[in-house]
Amino acid sequence: QQAVPGQTASTTVNVPANTVRASFKVSWGFGANDFGLRLLGPAGAIAGASNGLNLMGLTGRRERVALDRPAAGTYRMDVSHT
C-alpha cells in the first residue's frame, strides 16, 4: 500500500500466542517525506505509536513500535503521512 498526504494506509499482522517480543516497523526511501506509525491491538485500543522526527542518517526514514509479551491476536498498523 501507499501512504499519501491526508490518507492512512493500513495493514494487519497476526501475533501468535506466547510471543516474547513483537516488532512492527515501517521504513521508506529517499523520495518520501515523513510518516507516522500507530499500532492498534486486538481489542482495538492503541498498543503503541511512533512519530519521531526523521532526519537523513542512521535513524532516519523509519518508525518502529516494539511490544514485550504482546497479547495474541490481530494487530492493525496505520501509517500516515505527517
Side-chain angles (χ1 to χ4, degrees), residues 30-46:
F30 292 106
N33 293 318
D34 193 13
F35 294 93
L37 171 63
R38 182 177 66 170
L39 182 66
L40 301 176
I46 295 174

Side-chain angles (χ1 to χ4, degrees), residues 8-9 22 24 70:
T8 299
F24 305 84

Side-chain angles (χ1 to χ4, degrees), residues 12-16 24 73-75:
T12 58
V13 177
N14 291 316
V15 175
F24 305 84
T74 302
Y75 287 74

Side-chain angles (χ1 to χ4, degrees), residues 6-21:
Q7 297 181 5
T8 299
S10 299
T11 191
T12 58
V13 177
N14 291 316
V15 175
N18 302 315
T19 297
V20 175
R21 185 169 177 88

Side-chain angles (χ1 to χ4, degrees), residues 25 27-30 53-62:
K25 180 175 145 181
S27 59
W28 55 94
F30 292 106
L53 179 62
N54 287 276
L55 301 173
M56 298 280 253
L58 295 176
T59 61
R61 300 184 311 276
R62 68 178 177 204

